[in-house]
Amino acid sequence: MNGNARRPTSNAVQAEALAKSHDDPVEYVGFRVDGQAVVLNLTQHQRLTPDRSLDVVTHSPTGFEWGYTGSGPAQLACGLLLDYYDDTQVAREHYIAFRNRVISQLKCDGPAACWHLTGEQIDAAMATITDDVVALPDGGKPSPTLPENWRTVTRPDRRVFQRADHDHYIVLGEGTDGWLAVLCSQGDRAYPAPLASRTVSDDADVERAIRALVDESNDLIEPPEGEC
């Protein structure tokens, strides 16, 4: 967060960086005012709004929520990670897992009718989920064969192509009859949802299959001609 050094984001040092505490204690609190969810960063005496996190993912423009796995909690998970770590990549990679393990469990119980979440608790939770990431483990790199809004990264068991401007990514791994390329979307789900796939034989053009799935991604999110 502001006032602290940025966290390193390379795959080799990210887990270690997230395990370190901030120099100063950080605490967030959530409660309701006339039924509206309100989240405060008590350390900075500021209200946390979805505005900054909406530049990363768009799940709930109308506001935050907690206590279940849905759009509002997903936006809060991204907003909290972005505010605490001040790192867009970390927020984008881990907000779904953070929502499922932390935000979905928050409740406004007790006389104060609010929840509290400390920086130490965030660090502890992130230490358990930093290996549970599908896309962009090291930020990705441009691919000479794909459009500029796609990034590619090689992992030991598969290659991942992440779309930078939308919640789409392509996973390439070994299938039963060759290579299997799957276009996925995380959305509000605990597990990625497959949108399209291609099975490619070992001697076929794998890059061509990837480009075909990129085109399918465009078809899924871009409106037909003549529509706004």
Side-chain angles (χ1 to χ4, degrees):
M1 60 186 294
N2 294 335
N4 293 286
R6 284 182 176 273
R7 304 281 176 140
T9 55
S10 69
N11 194 37
V13 300
Q14 181 171 307
E16 179 182 353
L18 293 182
K20 296 178 180 178
S21 300
H22 283 59
D23 294 335
D24 301 315
V26 178
E27 184 174 5
Y28 297 91
V29 62
F31 53 93
R32 297 188 183 278
V33 176
D34 297 329
Q36 181 71 30
V38 176
V39 179
L40 302 179
N41 181 327
L42 293 182
T43 307
Q44 294 188 344
H45 306 288
Q46 292 181 351
R47 180 170 179 172
L48 192 65
T49 71
D51 294 348
R52 185 183 178 196
S53 63
L54 287 171
D55 291 334
V56 181
V57 293
T58 305
H59 287 290
S60 179
T62 57
F64 295 137
E65 266 300 342
W66 55 76
Y68 62 100
T69 56
S71 298
Q75 202 69 54
L76 176 57
C78 184
L80 275 173
L81 293 181
L82 192 59
D83 185 76
Y84 182 63
Y85 291 112
D86 195 21
D87 192 309
T88 300
Q89 180 192 328
V90 168
R92 181 185 291 117
E93 285 183 12
H94 301 294
Y95 77 96
I96 289 293
F98 188 73
R99 177 201 65 178
N100 295 342
R101 301 191 187 191
V102 178
I103 303 302
S104 65
Q105 306 304 311
L106 296 177
K107 296 180 181 179
C108 293
D109 291 335
C114 63
W115 54 259
H116 290 263
L117 188 62
T118 67
E120 289 184 354
Q121 291 172 318
I122 294 174
D123 283 331
M126 288 294 287
T128 69
I129 66 177
T130 49
D131 290 334
D132 185 21
V133 56
V134 174
L136 293 180
D138 62 3
K141 298 178 181 179
S143 170
T145 60
L146 296 180
E148 292 183 356
N149 59 328
W150 286 81
R151 294 291 183 267
T152 181
V153 60
T154 299
R155 299 189 64 183
D157 55 344
R158 60 192 179 274
R159 292 172 66 194
V160 176
F161 306 86
Q162 173 77 46
R163 184 165 184 155
D165 58 348
H166 199 78
D167 175 28
H168 280 180
Y169 56 91
I170 299 167
V171 179
L172 177 66
E174 294 185 7
T176 55
D177 298 318
W179 294 99
L180 178 63
V182 183
L183 174 65
C184 305
S185 175
Q186 184 77 56
D188 295 329
R189 296 165 292 273
Y191 300 96
L195 304 175
S197 64
R198 293 283 192 283
T199 300
V200 188
S201 61
D202 290 333
D203 57 351
D205 187 352
V206 175
E207 294 296 333
R208 179 184 237 177
I210 297 298
R211 290 193 297 271
L213 290 176
V214 167
D215 291 339
E216 291 207 31
S217 171
N218 291 333
D219 293 339
L220 288 171
I221 67 174
E222 292 181 358
E225 291 186 9
E227 293 187 17
C228 298

